Amino acid sequence: MSHTVTPYRDRDPPLKIIHTATTNPADLSPFDREMVYNGLDCCVTRDVFDSTITQLNPATAATYAFSKALQGPVLEMRCRGVLVDAARKNEVIDNFHDQIDTLERQLERILFEGVGLESFNWRSHRDLAWLFYDVFAIPAIHYQGRPTCNRAAREKIALYPIAKLIIDYINTLTELGDKISVLKTAIDPDGRFRTSYNIAGTSTGRFSSSTSEFGTGGNLQNIEESLRSIF
């Protein structure tokens, strides 16, 4: 019996060996740089593991074992996601917009009858600074050398009785806008909201979470009660 060996020119080329200790990444092709990255990602992680596993004591070993046991359920959670009720989501968004419209009309009336302002944009930093620091003559609060009306500054401005009610309105309007932004977060084509969970994301032992690997979804751990009816 005989057989024929196909020359390399007629087959796939052999695997390339890259000496990462002596190679400049700038000299590599984009594909080779990705391959080096993937190789180091595996090999360096294994080196770290071999060095640290011997340092575990009974308590930390139990924590490590528990974290590993969570990998399966967490992967299932990440892949499955949470189904979004599209009709209910639109209802909640419309309700928040109605609340914003009502609060804006009330705020405009307060500023017109109380201060004489005929126009005011609560979203405008310039309008806010002008109202609090010029009209109300509250000492300006600065951030990085510039006057600011961010959330931290508004907490200080609210200590002045003349501004307290206005600040309450602006904070409520801002929170409603943030809720609408959460509800409008991009979800996957199958209608599910997915999250990327990090088992060891905090020092307290709880998970941390963020957008999915594909840039959709977000942090499901911070969904407040008023938003949960869509899931």
Side-chain angles (χ1 to χ4, degrees):
M1 180 180 293
S2 63
H3 63 275
T4 302
V5 177
T6 304
Y8 273 123
R9 64 177 181 271
D10 297 325
R11 295 190 294 158
D12 292 335
L15 293 177
K16 181 183 294 186
I17 296 176
I18 300 175
H19 297 281
T20 57
T22 58
T23 301
N24 184 350
D27 296 333
L28 299 174
S29 69
F31 179 79
D32 284 344
R33 281 199 297 269
E34 293 293 339
M35 295 304 99
V36 169
Y37 174 84
N38 288 332
L40 290 174
D41 209 24
C42 297
C43 295
V44 174
T45 302
R46 180 58 196 241
D47 286 343
V48 172
F49 172 80
D50 290 339
S51 175
T52 56
I53 193 66
T54 59
Q55 303 176 34
L56 297 181
N57 58 39
T60 55
T63 300
Y64 174 62
F66 179 64
S67 296
K68 285 207 304 181
L70 289 173
Q71 290 178 349
V74 166
L75 179 60
E76 171 68 18
M77 291 163 58
R78 291 168 69 154
C79 292
R80 181 178 180 83
V82 181
L83 186 63
V84 174
D85 184 333
R88 176 56 184 163
K89 181 177 75 171
N90 291 333
E91 291 177 2
V92 175
I93 291 175
D94 289 343
N95 179 48
F96 286 153
H97 278 301
D98 290 342
Q99 293 182 48
I100 288 176
D101 290 342
T102 299
L103 292 173
E104 284 180 335
R105 288 194 298 269
Q106 293 174 355
L107 180 59
E108 289 172 359
R109 180 178 179 183
I110 291 170
L111 292 175
F112 177 72
E113 297 182 358
V115 187
L117 294 182
E118 294 184 358
S119 63
F120 177 78
N121 181 5
W122 63 270
R123 296 181 177 89
S124 167
H125 173 269
R126 179 179 297 179
D127 283 10
L128 292 176
W130 177 73
L131 175 65
F132 296 129
Y133 301 147
D134 294 336
V135 177
F136 291 167
I138 295 173
I141 298 170
H142 292 78
Y143 177 73
Q144 295 183 345
R146 297 182 179 182
T148 181
C149 295
N150 60 20
R151 185 58 183 258
R154 295 200 300 270
E155 290 179 359
K156 298 177 181 179
I157 295 172
L159 297 176
Y160 294 84
I162 193 174
K164 176 66 169 60
L165 178 62
I166 309 301
I167 292 295
D168 288 343
Y169 267 91
I170 292 172
N171 286 343
T172 301
L173 286 165
T174 301
E175 291 168 0
L176 288 170
D178 291 341
K179 292 177 182 179
I180 291 173
S181 296
V182 172
L183 292 174
K184 290 185 175 180
T185 298
I187 60 176
D188 292 321
D190 61 356
R192 290 183 175 272
F193 187 109
R194 289 184 171 83
T195 295
S196 176
Y197 294 100
N198 186 351
I199 295 173
T202 70
S203 58
T204 60
R206 68 175 182 84
F207 295 168
S208 66
S209 60
S210 57
T211 56
S212 72
E213 287 79 357
F214 299 99
T216 57
N219 184 355
L220 271 174
Q221 295 175 270
N222 289 339
I223 302 295
E224 63 172 82
E225 187 172 356
S226 64
L227 307 179
R228 295 175 187 172
S229 63
I230 75 166
F231 296 105

